[in-house]
Amino acid sequence: MQILIKGAQVIDPGRIDGVKDILIKDGKFAQIEEPDQIKPESDTQVIDAEGLIAVPGLIDVHVHLREPGHEYKETIESGLKAAAAGGFTAVCCMPNTKPVNDNAQVTSFIIEQGRKACAARVYPAGAISVGSSGTALAEIGDMKQAGIKAVTDDGLPVSSSQLMRRAMEYCKTMDIPILVHAEDKDLANNGSMNEGPKATALGLRGIPNASESVMVCRDIAMAELTGARVHFCHMSTAQSIDAIRQAKRKGIPVTCETAPHYFTLTDEDIPPYDTNFKMNPPLRSEIDRQAIIEGLKDGTIDMIATDHAPHNIDEKDVEFDRAAFGIIGLETALPLALELVGRGHITMEELVEKMAKAPAELMGINNDLVSGNPADLTLIDPDYEFIVDPDTFISKSRNTPFAGRQVKGRAAMTFGNGIRVYEAK
Ligand SMILES: [Zn+2]
Ligand SMILES: [Zn+2]
């Protein structure tokens, strides 16, 4: 089976930028040529992609699929289909399932369910510690053999510096990145939103910026000590970005991600009692939002991930301070990131770097548009305007703060292994 994608603007940062035709054969890229150079065979499926942008498959390195354990919020299948609908050809799923992905059996289960879904690929992250309880190292070597691409206790910080040191030393020998959920739980003090005037006005307990940045600073020091690949998840504060910028200048091997809500919203945007605006870390101040955009512009922030965290209405339809943390993001990330391009903060090429190439590098894979590589490809329609409607989401959950927002740009088609796993209607 051959697929010929004709006339798309192809962007593969540092390699390709221009109108090309792409031939996919047996699930792999076969040829990428100037327009009309490829002569299709009679059974070739031809896709007219004029006006669309073809990019290496987008990868979301931070997603919560709720299977095993909380399938009523999301299954591996529904999550991977939502990912494909958002233009992602692969996601890295966090291990805080029930049971926790802290052993090879759970890892294999996730990979097998992912294969059956016939949607985006799944790259499981294994837990750092047994049960993510922060006491003993999990069987990281076994999980690596079973297919994990990273380790993290995401959802929970690794409070013990000594355990984190041992995890880093171990992962360095196996070349596995450590994804850090940077949070000092004592400082966070069971808060439910950003510490500031808005929290005071609403009478809610606040979470200070330092609850994130003190742990970022600790783990920068630990990365320097061990030489391990340390990646900071969902960065939300100006102080964290400053610290990472300085660490990179010193040559310490750290990377980081932010999520679309941190460059789009602030705590001032939270409508009274709307728990779809409750996430961890919380929406911060305008100063922080500007610092995040600055970090994206100057390359301090390497990538954009969603921290897609599905919750059922029951966990959200309660008082703000009792509601679950987290929002979904797979089906809104691309249009929200395209706003950065629309406003001139970053170029389209930089967006592809942050949503496809840097994530691939973190996962230790190569998603270049080059013949022989698996045909993982996203076709972006940059001009399609629509209003975000959670009722149209493929995800099983609806907890988004972006309902009703006017956005522009979406995935038109998503290909995984040369198979069309999503097509916009
Ligand atoms: Zn986290
Ligand atoms: Zn998370």
Side-chain angles (χ1 to χ4, degrees):
M1 236 285 274
Q2 298 197 2
I3 300 172
L4 178 62
I5 299 167
K6 281 182 72 75
Q9 171 81 19
V10 182
I11 301 178
D12 185 352
R15 301 186 55 253
I16 309 173
D17 188 353
V19 174
K20 310 270 179 205
D21 289 353
I22 300 171
L23 184 71
I24 295 169
K25 196 174 171 178
D26 302 329
K28 294 189 161 69
F29 293 118
Q31 281 179 274
I32 297 164
E33 306 284 351
E34 294 302 309
D36 304 319
Q37 294 299 302
I38 302 169
K39 298 286 167 255
E41 290 170 14
S42 58
D43 65 337
T44 302
Q45 194 182 111
V46 179
I47 294 168
D48 175 12
E50 217 185 293
L52 303 181
I53 303 171
V55 303
L58 305 182
I59 299 173
D60 185 347
V61 296
H62 196 129
V63 162
H64 296 268
L65 301 175
R66 299 302 194 187
E67 185 182 354
H70 294 110
E71 290 83 357
Y72 67 99
K73 301 183 190 204
E74 195 84 283
T75 61
I76 290 167
E77 183 180 10
S78 68
L80 295 180
K81 286 187 166 155
F88 294 100
T89 59
V91 304
C92 175
C93 68
M94 299 296 108
N96 64 337
T97 47
K98 204 173 167 189
V100 169
N101 181 18
D102 63 2
N103 63 76
Q105 283 79 6
V106 179
T107 304
S108 301
F109 169 79
I110 294 168
I111 290 172
E112 189 49 38
Q113 292 296 95
R115 210 172 274 140
K116 281 191 229 158
C118 195
R121 292 170 198 273
V122 64
Y123 299 130
I128 293 172
S129 64
V130 176
S132 286
S133 61
T135 46
L137 277 189
E139 296 160 356
I140 297 171
D142 284 359
M143 287 190 289
K144 189 185 180 194
Q145 281 209 323
I148 61 163
K149 297 281 193 213
V151 293
T152 180
D153 277 351
D154 185 55
L156 295 165
V158 178
S159 299
S160 161
S161 305
Q162 180 63 8
L163 186 78
M164 193 54 136
R165 176 184 184 166
R166 285 171 50 218
M168 285 188 190
E169 286 171 344
Y170 192 53
C171 288
K172 182 177 160 58
T173 64
M174 289 189 297
D175 196 28
I176 298 179
I178 296 174
L179 318 182
V180 173
H181 172 102
E183 182 185 9
D184 182 316
K185 283 273 179 203
D186 282 340
L187 264 180
N189 196 24
N190 291 319
S192 54
M193 66 173 286
N194 186 42
E195 183 172 297
K198 184 80 184 242
T200 307
L202 293 174
L204 291 168
R205 196 181 296 179
I207 302 170
N209 280 19
S211 71
E212 176 179 293
S213 56
V214 292
M215 289 298 262
V216 170
C217 291
R218 183 198 76 172
D219 286 350
I220 286 170
M222 306 278 276
E224 189 173 20
L225 174 68
T226 62
R229 284 166 65 195
V230 173
H231 173 82
F232 295 101
C233 300
H234 43 57
M235 289 291 95
S236 72
T237 74
Q239 292 85 350
S240 300
I241 302 308
D242 269 347
I244 292 166
R245 186 176 287 122
Q246 285 174 41
K248 285 185 164 187
R249 279 193 194 130
K250 284 172 74 181
I252 301 169
V254 293
T255 54
C256 74
E257 80 202 22
T258 193
H261 37 283
Y262 300 118
F263 57 74
T264 309
L265 301 170
T266 71
D267 58 355
E268 293 294 333
D269 294 317
I270 305 175
Y273 315 116
D274 191 339
T275 58
N276 286 324
F277 287 72
K278 181 176 176 181
M279 67 287 279
N280 185 19
L283 296 173
R284 303 288 188 180
S285 70
E286 178 62 15
I287 290 169
D288 296 299
R289 192 182 76 88
Q290 293 295 342
I292 297 293
I293 291 172
E294 216 35 62
L296 285 161
K297 284 167 79 165
D298 74 5
T300 302
I301 300 176
D302 302 271
M303 57 197 94
I304 296 168
T306 64
D307 199 1
H308 178 83
H311 286 298
N312 188 265
I313 186 79
D314 294 342
E315 282 109 0
K316 284 292 195 181
D317 201 11
V318 293
E319 292 86 343
F320 200 92
D321 54 354
R322 289 178 54 228
F325 285 103
I327 62 167
I328 54 173
L330 284 168
E331 293 170 79
T332 48
L334 179 57
L336 293 169
L338 282 164
E339 284 184 10
L340 293 169
V341 180
R343 300 208 164 116
H345 294 312
I346 59 171
T347 63
M348 191 65 206
E349 188 176 22
E350 286 167 335
L351 179 129
V352 179
E353 179 66 39
K354 289 178 200 302
M355 295 187 78
K357 306 288 280 206
E361 201 180 323
L362 183 66
M363 295 291 106
I365 60 145
N366 178 329
N367 63 346
D368 288 353
L369 298 181
V370 66
S371 65
N373 259 359
D376 286 12
L377 181 86
T378 306
L379 278 178
I380 298 170
D381 180 348
D383 299 320
Y384 184 83
E385 293 186 44
F386 65 105
I387 289 167
V388 175
D389 176 5
D391 287 334
T392 64
F393 286 166
I394 288 169
S395 170
K396 273 188 149 183
S397 292
R398 298 283 174 266
N399 49 310
T400 173
F402 295 111
R405 190 181 180 94
Q406 173 85 39
V407 292
K408 190 176 169 189
R410 65 168 178 178
M413 279 181 215
T414 310
F415 295 85
N417 270 334
I419 294 166
R420 201 183 318 190
V421 290
Y422 174 75
E423 180 173 4
K425 289 190 189 81

